[in-house]
Amino acid sequence: MQISILSSLSDTGGRSPIDATVQTLAQLRDEGFRRVWMTQMPYEPDLLTVLAVAFREVDGIEVGSGVIPIQNQHPMLLAQRALTLNLISRGRFILGLGMTHQAVTEGMWGIPWDKPVRRLREYLDGLQPLLAGRPADAPGETVTTRGALQIPGAVAPDVYIAALGPQLLKLAGRHTAGTVTWMTGPKTLAEHVAPTLRDAAAGRKVNVVAALPVSVTDDVDGARAQAAKQFAMYGQLPSYRAMLDREGYAGPEDAAIIGDETAVAERIRALDGVDEYVGVVFDASPETRARTRALLRRLDA
């Protein structure tokens, strides 16, 4: 199992998000991490623009978007941006896509959230030929993509989608490199996510990338209380609430992997069916965060 780590454009410590991202990626690379996943929240700077700078400044580490919402940009625009970014990074970018949430799509953007499976399938129908260097001719009900791109030397990034329900998991298995999950526990990953994805892939190699909060600490109760507060909204959003309920978790604090080095390592190794674990290091203490990263590096090695 590969071990990666999550970073955020919001975690800047008052610095410019561009400078902070360059410094964070360089630090994580120097610590020994091979891959970082970075979020794109609706209120943050544009992740792909920030990465265009960061990839020029920092070599030797891969970055995946976890995840870019599809509803507010056309497939051809995203294909242009992703191919250009992979040209800058010399193939170190992974494109993670998702449907975001109804509250964002309809409440903030005024874009319908209906027909999510059709919308994502039609999006991929337009996006993936362009990423592969072929013309797109994908008329659809929710989005239509026609045309071609000319970006010499660009290599198509691997595409992952955030899929939790069975229909989106089947779509991911048939058409992408895999799925990126969040707040999804070990039972659900092993019994629902992995088999649904791989059955749909019909023998093709696909990956389950599972992100969960993690803290290596001796203050388990304190870390659980912090996780309950910090990740409270994920106990309310319908898609994540469904995953917590499927696992039998009362709240996000139950999904968090918390304990000393032995306990955390055992829980990560027990993630059956997972190809890549993404640690979301959340503790407020710099010492605890460093302790957690140190264990993640050892597990990846």
Side-chain angles (χ1 to χ4, degrees):
M1 182 193 304
Q2 180 167 342
I3 306 294
S4 303
I5 197 164
L6 189 86
S7 186
S8 167
L9 293 175
S10 296
D11 187 17
T12 65
R15 299 167 292 170
S16 154
I18 298 171
D19 293 341
T21 300
V22 168
Q23 293 170 13
T24 297
L25 291 182
Q27 176 186 344
L28 293 173
R29 176 204 60 194
D30 293 345
E31 288 182 2
F33 288 99
R34 294 179 285 160
R35 182 178 296 169
V36 178
W37 290 83
M38 295 194 67
T39 57
Q40 175 66 86
M41 304 300 283
Y43 48 79
E44 291 177 334
D46 180 62
L47 173 62
L48 301 191
T49 304
V50 173
L51 288 179
V53 177
F55 274 133
R56 289 286 285 185
E57 296 291 325
V58 184
D59 61 8
I61 192 166
E62 298 176 341
V63 181
S65 59
V67 294
I68 301 293
I70 67 167
Q71 290 97 323
N72 64 347
Q73 58 185 311
H74 190 271
M76 184 169 282
L77 173 60
L78 185 56
Q80 287 176 309
R81 300 174 74 207
L83 287 171
T84 302
L85 194 55
N86 224 15
L87 193 61
I88 294 169
S89 68
R90 298 184 181 181
R92 290 182 286 131
F93 177 59
I94 301 102
L95 178 58
L97 303 175
M99 291 292 297
T100 190
H101 301 279
Q102 188 171 8
V104 175
T105 304
E106 295 185 344
M108 297 177 66
W109 300 335
I111 299 172
W113 195 82
D114 60 341
K115 303 177 181 176
V117 178
R118 175 183 289 273
R119 191 177 296 274
L120 187 48
R121 178 174 56 78
E122 292 180 349
Y123 200 94
L124 292 173
D125 287 345
L127 175 74
Q128 290 185 302
L130 297 172
L131 292 178
R134 303 191 306 271
D137 184 8
E141 180 182 337
T142 65
V143 63
T144 291
T145 308
R146 292 189 179 97
L149 298 175
Q150 297 182 26
I151 307 177
V155 177
D158 285 340
V159 176
Y160 288 77
I161 60 174
L164 298 174
Q167 295 307 312
L168 286 181
L169 283 168
K170 290 175 183 177
L171 183 67
R174 292 174 185 139
H175 298 287
T176 74
T179 186
V180 182
T181 70
W182 168 236
M183 281 295 164
T184 305
K187 178 181 177 181
T188 304
L189 288 165
E191 298 179 4
H192 165 61
V193 172
T196 305
L197 181 80
R198 294 191 172 110
D199 285 349
R204 189 174 60 85
K205 170 63 176 172
V206 289
N207 297 311
V208 175
V209 180
L212 287 166
V214 61
S215 177
V216 178
T217 178
D218 299 318
D219 183 11
V220 173
D221 290 341
R224 281 180 56 84
Q226 184 177 335
K229 181 178 180 180
Q230 183 170 334
F231 302 114
M233 71 172 180
Y234 298 108
Q236 302 168 8
L237 291 168
S239 57
Y240 298 122
R241 183 67 260 174
M243 294 300 103
L244 295 171
D245 290 342
R246 181 186 278 267
E247 198 73 22
Y249 289 159
E253 66 275 19
D254 294 325
I257 299 175
I258 300 170
D260 63 14
E261 282 80 359
T262 300
V264 168
E266 288 177 352
R267 286 189 62 184
I268 292 174
R269 291 184 178 123
L271 293 174
D272 189 29
V274 173
D275 301 281
E276 182 177 351
Y277 167 69
V278 183
V280 183
V281 182
F282 68 90
D283 199 283
S285 162
E287 293 78 13
T288 300
R289 292 170 69 90
R291 181 180 174 186
T292 303
R293 293 198 308 275
L295 176 66
L296 295 178
R297 291 197 306 275
R298 291 200 296 273
L299 291 176
D300 191 45

